[in-house]
Amino acid sequence: PPAPRLLEAMLETIRHRGPDDGGVWSLAPAALGARRLSIIDLAGGHQPLSDESGRFWIVYNGEVYNFRELRSRMEKEGARFRTGTDTEVVVQWFARRGEEGIGDLNGSFAFAIWARRDRRLWVGRDRCGKKPAYYALLEDGIVCGSELRTVAAHPRVERRIAPASLAKCFAYDFVPSPATPLAGVGKLEPATFLRWEAGRASTHRYWSPPAPEPFGGDAEERIRETLRRGVKRRLVSDVPLGVLLSGGVDSSAVSALARTEGAPLRSFSISFD
């Protein structure tokens, strides 16, 4: 594992993503670190966090919207929880369902889960790739993080521009996954997890968009209900909710549906010269 100072330096690159809390956990040959933006269970969500047995350890970014349903199912199976966070639900769910359970997570997230006894690492990303996950494979290990600069902060990660990625950046204004601007760093694709073990890494797609169904005559109501359900899932929070109200159709619809659900909102508008 990296020296504590190195891990702290890597975490400093994502302090803006998690200004509320930070933590590290290290047990050779692995080390995990996290920065946290507190949204659910403000006092109890310190990371890294383990499952009941202490076999699996997680660092996690984002939200799983159906965590209460998954928690209820596990509690009926006898699971016990120490916190009210979705982070603990994710690691407990993974401990029971393994790779097959990743597709049950409905949310916006990225995670890294380390299995102590198996010396195996999983890095996962949500279905649509809302939360980023970068990684670099070394001769004897792997480095991963929420931003490119986090991975590049490791001294053994080469900071060499990839010409093909530069060309894509000029063509598309971004570098499509799994490439990044750096030759030795990859970005996990949406709906994909990476499994690393004994120096070998493999990526696996766990979800694909379902085939479209014909709407029929009730298209308007189905769209309205789908949007309402999606907005409602995202209103779970132990801190005040805010919306970026740009004045467009989508932000106006989201704001109106959130108010219909009774959510107290603060709205923000931003302009640029």
Side-chain angles (χ1 to χ4, degrees), residues 200-214:
R200 294 184 179 182
S202 57
T203 56
H204 308 268
R205 193 169 188 85
Y206 66 83
W207 181 84
S208 295
E213 301 176 11

Side-chain angles (χ1 to χ4, degrees), residues 15-222:
R15 177 179 286 272
H16 58 284
R17 302 184 74 92
D20 299 329
D21 189 23
V24 297
W25 174 87
S26 179
L27 183 66
L32 302 177
R35 294 296 315 180
R36 185 183 182 221
L37 176 67
S38 302
I39 295 175
I40 298 172
D41 190 356
L42 307 190
H46 183 75
Q47 295 185 44
L49 187 68
S50 73
D51 72 318
E52 280 184 276
S53 68
R55 176 185 174 188
F56 295 95
W57 283 81
I58 187 172
V59 284
Y60 165 82
N61 169 39
E63 284 186 82
V64 166
Y65 307 130
N66 63 335
F67 79 98
R68 287 175 170 169
E69 298 99 294
L70 300 180
R71 175 173 176 145
S72 177
R73 288 169 61 179
M74 287 188 286
E75 286 177 331
K76 291 176 182 177
E77 298 168 0
R80 293 174 297 177
F81 291 84
R82 295 158 290 164
T83 74
T85 64
D86 54 339
T87 307
E88 187 178 9
V89 169
V90 173
V91 70
Q92 295 268 43
W93 186 258
F94 187 87
R96 285 164 172 76
R97 267 65 173 187
E99 297 173 357
E100 298 298 321
I102 298 176
D104 297 322
L105 305 177
N106 181 342
S108 168
F109 59 83
F111 65 76
I113 294 177
W114 171 252
R116 289 176 50 188
R117 291 201 299 266
D118 310 288
R119 295 196 171 192
R120 187 179 301 153
L121 178 77
W122 292 268
V123 182
R125 196 176 179 200
D126 64 71
R127 296 177 184 181
C128 293
K130 295 180 187 178
K131 297 300 182 186
Y134 294 87
Y135 65 93
L137 300 175
L138 309 178
E139 288 184 6
D140 57 350
I142 182 172
V143 180
C144 59
S146 286
E147 293 197 7
L148 183 63
R149 73 183 81 186
T150 311
V151 177
H154 195 289
R156 293 177 59 192
V157 173
E158 188 178 5
R159 298 187 180 192
R160 180 168 53 86
I161 295 294
S165 294
L166 194 61
K168 290 176 181 177
C169 186
F170 287 139
Y172 307 132
D173 278 341
F174 75 105
V175 181
S177 304
T180 73
L182 298 185
V185 182
K187 182 163 65 172
L188 203 59
E189 293 185 272
T192 301
F193 70 86
L194 177 148
R195 184 199 311 122
W196 181 92
E197 183 178 20
R200 294 184 179 182
S202 57
T203 56
H204 308 268
R205 193 169 188 85
Y206 66 83
W207 181 84
S208 295
E213 301 176 11
F215 267 116
D218 61 343
E220 181 180 337
E221 184 54 37
R222 288 183 63 183

